[in-house]
Amino acid sequence: MIMLYDTEDNVLIKPMRFTLPIIENGGIATATDFKAFIDAVTSGSSLRKFKDTEGNVILLNDIDMKDITLTSGAGSNVTSNTTNANTKVVYTIGEQTFNDVFDGKGHSVINLTFTYNLEDGNIAHGLFNALGSSGVIRNLVISGNATITGKAPQGAAIGGLVGYCEGSILACTNQINLSFEGTDAANVGVRMGGLAGVLYGNKIGDTTQANGCSNEGNLTCSNIVNTASGAYSAFNQGGIAGYIENDEAYIGYAINKGNISAPSGRGGGIAELYRKELLKTALTKESFKMT
């Protein structure tokens, strides 16, 4: 709305309202578009050109991310309340966190390559560093490889799709292989999951099979110093989520087909740390190995 006044506060031009039309053919069609979307979320720039007429970010076709290496996912850094080992972590998402609807329309993003440095000031890493409480990611398949390096901070959250999740993940499949090649000091808790590193509230899948999610990526960890097994101190791995917090968190119709291998810590096919009533119709077909 625009209004102009003279020096005596008299209105010179009546209020005028402008509505920007939604681009009818908006969406993500190429690898360049997808990288631009990630950058736009992180910088807080407009996402209009990536949205359909309903205001949802959409994929228009399969995307091949070959020859593009990402060092961070979409969104601001996630921070925490502590750097002390074996301490409960409270996560704080950044201002530029994705909080809209991302609809893959059944398409895939393939050949994703990530190299995450755990010393970059961001405690959560994934294709989306974090997903806000109103955010939804649905109907999407992602594949590729993620290599995690550096010294892990207390509460490091690493996911194929989302690092730290307060939103909903529906009808998604992760085929990204997560390889932890960093260091994890004694009693420093790490949370790594195929779809989400940490699920805080909200859900992965729901009460319908159509919205069920799966992990087909492998989770591996090199030899680490940390051999603890406590809730706040262990290296936690789960095929769907590495760590579930908050009684409202929910996993429904989930299946893990990925292999999980770790030298120590706590692990599970679906989730490492959880309350059993929060898991519904969840299955695992993975090979689980503690080495």
Side-chain angles (χ1 to χ4, degrees):
M1 182 173 70
I2 298 176
M3 294 182 67
L4 296 180
Y5 301 85
D6 62 16
T7 57
E8 297 180 355
D9 286 340
N10 296 312
V11 177
L12 300 179
I13 298 180
K14 293 182 178 180
M16 301 177 65
R17 297 179 183 272
F18 297 89
T19 300
L20 293 174
I22 296 176
I23 302 172
E24 291 189 2
N25 61 343
I28 299 171
T30 66
T32 300
D33 290 345
F34 195 76
K35 179 62 167 59
F37 162 74
I38 291 174
D39 292 342
V41 174
T42 305
S43 65
S45 301
S46 173
L47 302 180
R48 284 184 61 249
K49 67 179 180 180
F50 307 115
K51 294 182 176 182
D52 61 10
T53 55
E54 296 179 356
N56 299 329
V57 176
I58 62 169
L59 292 186
L60 299 175
N61 43 250
D62 292 344
I63 306 291
D64 190 343
M65 296 295 287
K66 183 181 178 181
D67 299 327
I68 297 177
T69 298
L70 301 171
T71 58
S72 180
S76 302
N77 287 355
V78 179
T79 58
S80 74
N81 64 319
T82 184
T83 58
N84 297 327
N86 194 21
T87 303
K88 179 179 173 63
V89 175
V90 177
Y91 298 88
T92 301
I93 61 176
E95 182 178 356
Q96 311 304 338
T97 293
F98 188 76
N99 223 358
D100 294 326
V101 175
F102 186 105
D103 192 342
K105 297 289 186 178
H107 296 300
S108 299
V109 181
I110 65 172
N111 291 320
L112 283 159
T113 301
F114 299 96
T115 55
Y116 298 135
N117 183 350
L118 296 176
E119 299 176 68
D120 64 0
N122 181 22
I123 199 170
H125 294 84
L127 178 57
F128 292 80
N129 290 331
L131 183 63
S133 59
S134 297
V136 178
I137 302 173
R138 66 192 186 202
N139 306 319
L140 177 65
V141 178
I142 55 174
S143 65
N145 295 282
T147 302
I148 301 97
T149 63
K151 182 180 179 181
Q154 173 66 12
I158 306 154
L161 184 56
V162 181
Y164 172 72
C165 183
E166 294 183 356
S168 297
I169 301 174
L170 305 172
C172 290
T173 297
N174 173 63
Q175 297 173 346
I176 292 177
N177 300 310
L178 300 174
S179 177
F180 186 93
E181 299 178 8
T183 59
D184 181 24
N187 296 312
V188 173
V190 175
R191 294 91 188 257
M192 187 164 78
L195 283 156
V198 173
L199 174 63
Y200 183 90
N202 235 312
K203 58 196 174 185
I204 296 177
D206 61 15
T207 58
T208 64
Q209 189 170 357
N211 282 328
C213 295
S214 65
N215 173 61
E216 299 174 7
N218 298 322
L219 280 65
T220 59
C221 176
S222 60
N223 289 325
I224 54 177
V225 171
N226 189 11
T227 59
S229 59
Y232 303 144
S233 62
F235 188 100
N236 308 291
Q237 289 191 79
I240 300 299
Y243 196 92
I244 301 177
E245 194 166 355
N246 189 322
D247 289 349
E248 296 179 1
Y250 179 91
I251 295 178
Y253 282 97
I255 184 169
N256 175 53
K257 299 179 181 179
N259 297 321
I260 300 174
S261 177
S264 61
R266 300 163 63 133
I270 299 299
E272 178 281 321
L273 183 67
Y274 59 89
R275 291 175 46 147
K276 64 181 180 180
E277 61 266 30
L278 304 180
L279 300 180
K280 303 294 183 182
T281 55
L283 302 174
T284 182
K285 294 184 178 180
E286 92 293 354
S287 168
F288 180 79
K289 182 179 181 182
M290 299 294 288
T291 59

